[in-house]
């Protein structure tokens, strides 16, 4: 009986290659297979689809109950097994790497429509990490879709030839070459799309091959493709198509030329799926979902971070999110080196008028960065492991003439270094640099073996001989070519290097370009990715301001990804999910900076913690905040229903303080202007809206949290606690009158007003307890901070606070709404007055060059 059932199930699977699941069931009924057998077949198929839906990773937000027809690879498949074979040759282990790729690509394919459905227009988004293997993921999705009958594959590969060529090469290697009889190509390594005479020949019933087309996001190219497809319209009704948009946040969103052309191409394909891939989905998730565009209305998939991936927070650290213990949030690796502001004008023209005559100067930090790159290359040759290529990136401007001006000075530096290898003074300087870097980032912390300087000296002549200086930009003939043997290159460039393109063996970056948007900033980080065999060696030279931007960005990015995962477990759809993201306080700055002028910012604070971590250090500013805090404590003493005094623990709690006293305090307390998430106007508006609409937040608990071992600080007669120690993040060139302490509140502080020991509870546990005991009560916590705040010796990336007066930090904990939250709005704009911004150059979108 079991064999008979298996035979029937095999029949059903064979039908699935030709029909959608409901239609396959009808065919089984036409064969007069008993109804109970059909029911068992249906149940088994549903169990297999359920396994796909319930995969632990990746998480997905899906619109409605999309039918999951795809249950994974089959033994007869050709394209996916070829990719697996290729990856094994490249040293990928089956577990976890290939298994994870199999699961994540299967999940994406399961969200596409069955290729035999009469018509569909799917729109989805896959969120990965910069330089994390997104290309391999979408190549795997294409392979599995091809194995199930998708016919046409269009890949939109960035806006520059370099990325398009690299993508074409990867797809040919992994899809076409293993199965050449299965594929026809509309584009080649050296040519973007060029119309052929007879488009119908690709799509007629006599042509059984899959069709591959890799194009730039260029208006001229896409227009040609749209017109060519229109000529084949009679044949496209039976042509299931998958459009992959690599770097989907670039040029696709809100561009007058590219967006309509992609929509036009989709309109000519009655069965089409558009799937965007991006590491910076801010723009994609801020599109108006109700507009006719490429908003991912059907699904959003959040790929997990691969093992061994160097991401934003690994390098720069980040701030603690709600529910995290600040002590468990790392400050990042000590791999960032500071470029003094005084040197920036030596490597980047100060105004547009200076561009043409600009001549760069090899500054101290640029020399150190280049020399360190040569030392790293020598060390990697000694180790003999990992990627065979070695690349350094210099990115100071988008202007091509600025790039080109670096060639002669860098070549001169290389040639001088080659002649100086016998000079004891030169070798002594290199030894000092190597020893300093090894001491700051010990190889052993990354499971690597330290390379002694004497071994490097043996390799340096060969390193310098093979080192090329390449100007890789849209106007140069130079290009990074990793296909013809190991490369040692110092690459100077702009947009062609900053989007999508993989810089193989990247170990050193020198980066001073100022950008205005988080997504642009994130994409600039070509240093993100995998560093097998040299995880201890990468370094980044940048200004302290840029490093601080990246740290803030790491927090926004981590919080956004966490929210995506949270929404995926709460029955959200991509449409309601968008609203949730757009009312997230931390995302306001993304939109504001991106728009470059005043835009509406919506924020809702329900269930969130807000805390200060940026402060001025001048006495006048700090004294005003001390006065505001003392006034709040005095009025709380007078109006609280009860006062919980725990001076031995350094804590006081004033219960049921009227909300108008809290609002008065927030009106007089000064938040640092660089903290967009700490916007007093928005917070006050939110409190007033909750009070007036649902009666929540009328009462607040006001707490003081101090350190019993610290110096005494008085808030009011009879109310004093010890000062807390909060060291600032160390920077080589500190900005005057500014300190970043990174994190203020501990997890247990969010329950300081709750009875019993909350220290053992998770953050979710504390918030759940608050919801049960204090569903409508807000919490405001005051932290007096010692103006010196010297760090403990183990905190290598910290420095004394050294403020002119003691600092008052504050934390706010908002109750989680039982029903819909309130959103408040305010017009804000990015303050770019003192920042020289170079935004992405989109001229390539409309260029006639194809």
């Amino acid at each position: 009986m079991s064999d008979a059932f298996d035979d029937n199930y095999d029949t059903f699977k064979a039908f699935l290659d030709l029909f959608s699941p409901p239609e396959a069931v009808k065919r089984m009924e036409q064969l007069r297979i008993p109804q109970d057998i059909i029911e068992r077949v249906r149940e088994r198929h549903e169990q297999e689809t359920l396994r796909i839906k319930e995969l632990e990773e990746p998480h997905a937000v899906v619109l409605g109950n999309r039918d999951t027809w795809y249950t994974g690879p089959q033994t007869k498949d050709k394209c996916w097994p070829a990719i697996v074979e290729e990856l094994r040759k490249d040293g990928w282990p089956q577990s976890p790497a290939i298994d994870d790729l199999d699961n994540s690509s299967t999940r994406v394919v399961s969200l596409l429509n069955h290729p035999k459905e009469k018509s569909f227009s799917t729109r989805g988004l896959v969120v990965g990490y910069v330089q994390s293997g997104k290309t391999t993921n979408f190549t795997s999705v294409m392979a599995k879709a091809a194995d199930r009958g998708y016919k046409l594959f269009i890949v939109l590969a960035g806006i520059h030839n370099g990325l398009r060529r690299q993508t074409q090469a990867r797809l040919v290697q992994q899809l076409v070459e293993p199965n050449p009889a299965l594929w026809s190509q509309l584009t080649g390594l050296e040519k973007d799309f060029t119309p052929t005479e007879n488009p119908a020949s690709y799509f007629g019933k006599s042509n059984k091959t899959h069709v591959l087309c890799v194009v730039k996001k260029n208006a001229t190219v896409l227009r040609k493709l749209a017109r060519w497809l229109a000529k084949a319209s009679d044949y496209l009704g039976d042509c299931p198509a998958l459009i992959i948009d690599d770097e989907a946040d670039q040029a696709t969103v809100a561009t007058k030329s590219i967006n309509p052309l992609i929509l036009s191409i989709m309109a000519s394909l009655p069965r089409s799926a558009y799937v965007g891939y991006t590491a910076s989905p801010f723009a994609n998730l801020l599109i108006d979902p109700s507009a006719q565009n490429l908003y991912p209305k059907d699904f959003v998939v959040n790929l997990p971070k691969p093992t061994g991936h160097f991401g934003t927070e690994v390098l720069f650290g980040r701030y603690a999110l709600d529910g995290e213990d600040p002590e468990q949030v790392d400050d990042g690796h000590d791999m960032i080196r500071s470029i003094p502001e005084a040197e920036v004008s030596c490597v980047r023209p100060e105004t547009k008028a200076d561009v043409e005559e600009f001549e760069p100067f090899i500054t101290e930090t640029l020399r150190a960065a280049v020399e360190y790159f040569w030392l790293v290359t020598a060390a990697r040759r000694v180790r003999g492991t990992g990627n065979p290529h070695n690349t350094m990136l210099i990115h100071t401007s988008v202007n091509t003439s600025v790039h080109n001006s670096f060639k002669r000075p860098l070549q001169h530096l290389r040639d001088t270094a080659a002649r100086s290898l016998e000079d004891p003074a030169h070798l002594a300087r290199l030894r000092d640099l190597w020893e300093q870097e090894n001491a700051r980032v010990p190889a052993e912390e990354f499971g690597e073996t330290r390379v002694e300087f004497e071994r490097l000296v043996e390799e340096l002549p060969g390193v310098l001989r093979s080192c090329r200086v390449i100007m890789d930009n849209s106007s140069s003939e130079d290009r990074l070519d990793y296909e013809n043997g190991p490369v040692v290159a110092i690459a100077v460039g702009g947009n062609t290097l900053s989007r999508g393109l993989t810089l193989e063996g990247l170990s050193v970056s020198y980066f001073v370009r100022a950008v205005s948007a988080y997504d642009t900033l994130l994409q600039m980080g070509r240093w993100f990715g995998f560093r097998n065999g040299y995880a201890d060696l990468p370094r980044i030279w940048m200004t302290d301001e840029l490093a601080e931007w990246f740290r803030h960005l790491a927090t926004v990015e981590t919080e956004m990804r966490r929210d995506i995962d949270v929404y995926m477990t709460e029955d959200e759809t991509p449409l309601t999910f968008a609203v949730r993201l757009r009312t997230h306080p931390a995302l306001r700055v993304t939109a504001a900076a991106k728009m470059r002028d005043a835009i509406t910012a919506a924020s809702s604070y329900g269930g969130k913690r807000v805390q200060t971590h940026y402060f001025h250090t001048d006495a006048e500013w700090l004294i005003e905040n001390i006065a505001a805090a003392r006034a709040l404590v005095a009025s709380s003493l007078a109006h609280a229903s009860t006062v919980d005094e725990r001076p031995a623990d350094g804590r006081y709690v004033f219960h049921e303080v009227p909300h108008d006293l809290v609002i008065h305090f927030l009106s007089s307390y000064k938040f640092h202007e660089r903290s967009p998430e700490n916007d007093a106007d928005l917070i006050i508006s939110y409190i007033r809206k909750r009070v007036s609409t649902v009666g929540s937040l009328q009462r607040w608990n006001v707490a003081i949290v101090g350190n019993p071992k610290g110096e005494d600080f008085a808030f009011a007669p009879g109310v004093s606690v010890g000062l807390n120690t909060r060291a600032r993040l160390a920077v080589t060139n500190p900005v005057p009158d500014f300190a970043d302490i990174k994190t203020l509140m501990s997890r247990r502080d969010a329950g300081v007003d709750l009875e019993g020991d909350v220290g053992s509870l998770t953050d979710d546990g504390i918030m759940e307890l608050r919801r049960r005991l204090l569903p409508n009560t807000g919490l405001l916590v005051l932290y007096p901070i010692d103006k010196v705040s010297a760090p403990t010796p183990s905190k290598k990336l910290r420095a004394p606070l050294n403020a002119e007066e003691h600092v008052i930090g504050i934390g706010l904990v908002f109750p989680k709404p039982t029903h819909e939250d309130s959103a408040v709005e305010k017009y804000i704009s990015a303050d770019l007055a003192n920042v020289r911004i170079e935004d992405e150059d989109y001229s390539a979108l409309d260029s006639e060059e194809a």
Side-chain angles (χ1 to χ4, degrees), residues 74-115:
Q74 296 182 14
T75 51
K76 62 177 183 171
D77 291 347
K78 297 276 195 281
C79 297
W80 165 246
I83 287 181
V84 172
E85 188 60 32
E86 186 78 28
L87 295 176
R88 282 183 181 142
K89 283 183 193 169
D90 289 344
W92 280 49
Q94 183 66 39
S95 177
I98 292 176
D99 289 344
D100 288 349
L101 176 64
D102 188 9
N103 285 338
S104 60
S105 54
T106 286
R107 185 67 178 118
V108 177
V109 176
S110 77
L111 295 168
L112 304 179
N113 290 67
H114 191 289

Side-chain angles (χ1 to χ4, degrees), residues 301-323:
V301 174
N302 196 21
L303 295 179
K305 183 158 75 171
T307 306
H309 179 265
F310 265 55
T312 331
E313 66 179 278
V314 174
L315 289 165
F316 295 94
R318 61 171 172 80
Y319 305 104
L321 305 182
D322 284 358

Side-chain angles (χ1 to χ4, degrees), residues 174-214:
Q174 295 190 320
L175 290 177
V176 180
E177 287 177 355
N179 292 290
L182 297 182
W183 292 89
S184 302
Q185 296 184 68
L186 293 174
T187 52
L189 270 185
E190 304 304 334
K191 70 179 184 76
D192 207 326
F193 176 74
T194 306
T196 57
E197 284 303 312
N198 184 13
S201 65
Y202 286 91
F203 305 114
K205 291 195 173 166
S206 60
N207 188 331
K208 302 295 185 187
T209 64
H210 307 291
V211 181
L212 177 64
C213 181
V214 184

Side-chain angles (χ1 to χ4, degrees), residues 61-67 111 296-300 572-576:
V61 183
V62 182
L63 178 63
N65 280 321
R66 287 184 66 78
D67 285 331
L111 295 168
K297 64 181 176 59
D298 293 300
F299 63 86
V300 179
E572 297 287 341
T573 74
L575 300 176
T576 55

Side-chain angles (χ1 to χ4, degrees), residues 374-663:
W374 291 327
L375 293 170
V376 167
T377 305
R380 293 190 59 211
R381 288 187 175 185
V382 172
R383 285 181 179 169
T385 57
N387 191 308
H389 306 295
N390 293 273
T391 311
M392 174 180 179
L393 168 63
I394 296 177
H395 190 31
T396 70
S397 169
V398 293
N399 196 285
T400 55
S401 66
V402 174
H403 306 157
N404 298 337
S405 69
F406 273 89
K407 188 157 197 167
R408 192 174 50 80
L410 287 171
Q411 287 175 334
H412 178 70
L413 181 63
R414 178 197 60 196
D415 297 343
T416 303
R419 292 193 299 270
S420 304
L421 289 177
E422 302 294 325
D423 179 1
H426 179 70
L427 288 176
R429 190 174 78 251
L430 293 182
R431 180 189 291 275
D432 286 347
L433 175 60
W434 184 247
E435 298 296 341
Q436 285 170 19
E437 290 301 334
N438 270 271
R440 290 180 70 171
V441 186
E444 297 73 24
E445 288 184 6
F446 294 85
E448 300 292 346
T449 304
R450 174 191 168 103
V451 180
E452 297 302 328
F453 182 72
E454 286 70 23
R455 300 287 307 279
L456 303 185
V457 174
E458 299 167 13
E459 298 288 344
L460 280 173
V463 168
L464 289 164
R465 272 196 306 275
S466 55
C467 179
R468 296 172 59 215
V469 177
I470 294 176
M471 310 294 110
D472 195 314
N473 56 47
S474 51
S475 68
S476 75
E477 295 299 315
D478 273 351
R479 280 294 180 272
L480 280 165
D481 179 6
Y482 296 110
E483 293 166 28
N484 297 302
V487 167
V488 179
I490 299 171
V492 185
N495 284 342
T496 58
L497 294 179
S498 66
R499 272 279 183 173
L501 198 67
T502 300
L503 299 180
E504 301 281 358
L506 180 66
S507 52
V508 177
S509 300
Y510 186 91
F511 184 73
V512 298
R513 178 182 159 198
V515 293
S516 67
Y518 275 179
D519 42 13
T520 310
L521 192 63
L522 184 58
Q523 287 291 347
M524 295 290 110
R526 295 293 95 195
W527 48 78
F528 304 133
F530 300 96
R531 301 290 177 261
N532 299 328
Y534 64 109
D536 57 318
L537 298 178
R539 299 291 186 273
I540 306 165
W541 272 259
M542 59 169 49
T543 62
D544 291 336
E545 181 181 50
L546 271 173
E548 186 252 308
W549 284 9
F550 270 106
R551 191 178 306 113
H552 189 74
L553 169 62
T555 311
V556 172
E557 182 192 10
T558 304
E559 189 162 28
M560 178 192 64
R561 291 178 195 278
R562 188 176 79 163
D563 282 353
I564 291 174
D565 282 349
V566 168
Y567 300 153
M568 288 172 182
T569 63
E570 293 186 357
D571 262 353
E572 297 287 341
T573 74
L575 300 176
T576 55
F577 162 75
V579 174
R580 296 278 288 273
L581 265 182
R582 296 190 319 156
T583 59
H584 193 295
L587 282 180
R588 293 184 306 105
V589 68
T590 306
K594 197 173 183 70
M595 297 297 289
R596 297 285 297 275
D597 56 10
I599 60 128
T600 304
S603 294
S604 48
Y605 293 92
K608 292 192 164 44
R609 286 193 305 181
V610 175
Q611 56 183 311
T612 51
H613 53 83
Y614 292 162
F615 300 98
H616 285 286
T617 55
D618 73 283
E620 184 180 349
W621 192 84
L622 295 170
I623 287 169
E624 286 188 34
N625 280 352
I626 290 171
R630 284 176 169 156
L632 174 62
V633 171
S635 57
S636 297
L637 266 172
H639 294 90
S641 62
T642 57
V643 180
D644 180 8
E645 300 184 31
R646 288 175 269 164
D649 295 332
R651 290 167 186 245
Y652 285 81
V653 181
F654 306 91
H655 293 274
E656 296 192 327
V657 173
H659 71 276
D660 54 341
L661 300 184
V662 171
I663 286 175

Side-chain angles (χ1 to χ4, degrees), residues 313-318 326 329-334 551 729 741-742 795-798:
E313 66 179 278
V314 174
L315 289 165
F316 295 94
R318 61 171 172 80
V329 180
D330 199 2
D331 287 340
H333 295 308
D334 188 12
R551 191 178 306 113
L729 286 169
I741 66 167
K742 192 179 170 200
K795 298 284 188 182
K796 292 193 295 184
L797 299 180
R798 297 287 177 142

